[in-house]
Amino acid sequence: MGFLSVLSMAHRWMAERAQPGDAVIDATSGGGVDTLALARLVGERGSVFAFDIQQAALDRTRERLDAIRASGKEKLAETQLLLQSHEHMADGLPTALHGNIAGVMFNLGFLPGGDESLITQPSTTIAALEAALALLRPGGIITCVVYPGHPGGAEEAAAVQQWVEALPDEAASTMLYRQLHKKAAPYLLGVEKKAK
């Protein structure tokens, strides 16, 4: 049977914590895979906020969502696509949702099929992770898939892992999901916010 992929495990961790009607964030919309998963998860009563700095990524995400909606077979959450860097995610959300977000998904690296020189950067990613943690409700989760195999990816993965490892135990529970024999393979980090 094999282990779940890092993306499938990220979706599973999110599904264990977010419920229909919740508000969730896709910090890096990319091709819209995670945005669609979140829109299905929280359903028509929920809200999804998807961020990306590339209009092409938001266009792909919109096309993916529109195709599902056009089929009429599923009711998806209201989704706001924001052309905005993820470290400013708090600015794109209603104030009432600050501290009430069920989950935030990060899928780092570059837009597949896009400009591979345009990648997520450690400085903005760490700022975005800080913003995400502040936005979460107690019990909410951050999932972050990192890609050490592309140029710049190893440095970003190391920075993200260092940030996660430095979180105080009273603030969060953390998890690492990784293929130990494939050092360049993508891997998943999870952060669950604890109640104060």
Side-chain angles (χ1 to χ4, degrees):
M1 181 172 140
F3 292 109
L4 290 177
S5 72
V6 292
L7 294 177
S8 295
M9 184 59 80
H11 290 177
R12 175 178 281 187
W13 288 353
M14 190 63 60
E16 290 172 351
R17 290 157 183 86
Q19 305 296 320
D22 280 341
V24 291
I25 297 170
D26 184 352
T28 50
S29 78
V33 173
D34 292 337
T35 306
L36 176 57
L38 290 170
R40 285 175 164 151
L41 178 61
V42 301
E44 62 184 327
R45 293 183 297 114
S47 300
V48 179
F49 299 85
F51 294 86
D52 211 289
I53 61 168
Q54 296 182 76
Q55 187 61 51
L58 297 177
D59 292 344
R60 285 189 201 176
T61 300
R62 185 180 317 283
E63 288 169 11
R64 187 180 296 272
L65 295 170
D66 287 350
I68 298 298
R69 288 188 174 110
S71 74
K73 295 179 183 176
E74 295 182 66
K75 301 286 188 185
L76 301 178
E78 174 187 341
T79 306
Q80 292 190 38
L81 305 179
L82 300 147
L83 184 63
Q84 187 173 325
S85 186
H86 54 196
E87 78 266 28
H88 303 297
M89 66 176 73
D91 299 337
L93 271 62
T95 306
L97 292 179
H98 292 206
N100 291 306
I101 297 296
V104 183
M105 298 190 81
F106 288 80
N107 194 345
L108 302 177
F110 55 85
L111 177 63
D115 181 355
E116 293 185 11
S117 69
L118 188 57
I119 61 172
T120 51
Q121 299 293 325
S123 60
T124 54
T125 296
I126 298 304
L129 288 165
E130 292 279 358
L133 188 58
L135 290 168
L136 285 181
R137 67 187 182 202
I141 189 170
I142 296 169
T143 64
C144 187
V145 177
V146 296
Y147 294 83
H150 69 81
E155 294 80 5
E156 183 175 45
V160 170
Q161 188 167 335
Q162 184 179 23
W163 179 83
V164 170
E165 289 171 352
L167 289 171
D169 185 54
E170 61 273 11
S173 297
T174 61
M175 183 62 64
L176 172 67
Y177 183 74
R178 183 175 198 171
Q179 294 184 56
L180 296 176
H181 64 290
K182 294 183 179 180
K183 296 299 182 195
Y187 63 97
L188 169 64
L189 294 137
V191 175
E192 184 178 52
K193 187 172 185 176
K194 290 184 177 177
K196 290 188 178 181

